[in-house]
Amino acid sequence: MQEDVNTPTENQVNGENEQNMSKTQGELQADAGQRPALYGRKVLSFVRRSARLDARLQRAWDTYADTYLLNVNAGEGSLDVRNDLVFDQPYIAETWGNANPLIVEIGTGQGENVVAAAAEHPEMNFLALEVYDPGVAHTMLLAGKQGLANLRIAQVNAPELFKAAADGSIAEVWTFFPDPWPKMRHHKRRIVQPELAGEIHRTLQAGGVWRIATDIEDYALHVHEVMDGIEGFHNDGTLTVSLPVEHVGKGNAGEAASLRHADFSESERFSGRVLTNFEKKGLAAGRVIHDFTYRRV
């Protein structure tokens, strides 16, 4: 198990305890009052894990970071976007060197899909949003081997990037197999949320689409609940899919089959998505892939 960079060492804990022992009760209460309340923290769709890069990925980072990694972060180690960033057409043209349409993929993982798409479509620009160091480095490695010039990577919290993006600046958004957060109390962490949907709708060009895919039935229900009722998005799906109309979590997922079902519209598999190892595992486990296409109207 790798040590989390945010986990204090034993010496740090003991030192803090000694400092607290030397304080008065009033001082301790004042300190507590200055700490942010739990409910004031951002609800994130990921957990920031420490991960050491192996030699191959470290070489890729050192070799390709200047080419592919955007300097948009608020500070070293921060996943927030810096306050002065204006992600608009002039910025995109300067960064990619052209005015081609931009596709943004949220959560690119190892980069298999976004790199394959960038290689197949040199007439399009691509932005990979990924927070984990190994995934970012592996994406650089794949892109660098092919010398791709139409791909960039931003290691930031995706909703922050969309807040900085100008109206109509993005052609498509892709979110394939996001973290399902299966426990009921964690559903609020799922990346597909009304607030993000609003930002994506604002930043999409007229007729632009948000493509989503999941192999988790309960997440599919969640997508329908968030997206089907949003004014300004049209569900382009032509397939009829039956889903439970009640949510299940990690502990009671087995109850889904016995719940009342209803019909929903979903899309055919998006041909522009390569069959990654992750999707292959889901299919091998017998899970159904749910594809969605929500078009800005």
Side-chain angles (χ1 to χ4, degrees), residues 251-266:
N252 65 335
E255 300 174 6
S258 63
L259 297 175
R260 184 172 66 87
H261 282 52
D263 289 341
F264 297 86
S265 295
E266 296 181 3

Side-chain angles (χ1 to χ4, degrees), residues 103-106 171-178 192 200 204 207-214 223 227 233 236 267-273 290-295:
I103 296 176
V104 180
E105 183 174 7
I106 300 173
E172 292 193 11
V173 177
W174 298 348
T175 307
F176 300 142
F177 306 101
V192 178
I200 289 177
L204 279 175
V209 297
W210 186 6
R211 302 185 189 278
I212 305 170
T214 181
V223 171
M227 296 298 299
F233 272 117
D236 282 357
S267 295
E268 299 276 0
R269 186 185 188 280
F270 174 45
S271 60
R273 187 177 76 245
H290 299 265
D291 269 80
F292 308 84
T293 308
Y294 290 97
R295 184 174 304 278

Side-chain angles (χ1 to χ4, degrees), residues 53 57-58 60-61 132-142 153:
L53 300 180
L57 292 181
Q58 186 62 59
W61 192 291
Y132 300 118
D133 289 352
V136 172
H138 195 261
T139 303
M140 292 179 189
L141 179 62
L142 295 179
I153 305 166

Side-chain angles (χ1 to χ4, degrees), residues 8 22 32 78 91 111-112 241 254 273:
S22 66
S78 172
Y91 175 86
E112 298 166 273
V241 177
R273 187 177 76 245

Side-chain angles (χ1 to χ4, degrees), residues 43-78:
V43 177
L44 300 176
S45 62
F46 57 89
V47 175
R48 189 76 187 273
R49 305 183 187 95
S50 64
R52 296 180 179 88
L53 300 180
D54 61 27
R56 180 182 63 132
L57 292 181
Q58 186 62 59
R59 285 195 302 271
W61 192 291
D62 295 341
T63 302
Y64 299 118
D66 289 344
T67 300
Y68 292 113
L69 192 60
L70 296 184
N71 180 22
V72 296
N73 300 72
E76 186 176 354
S78 172

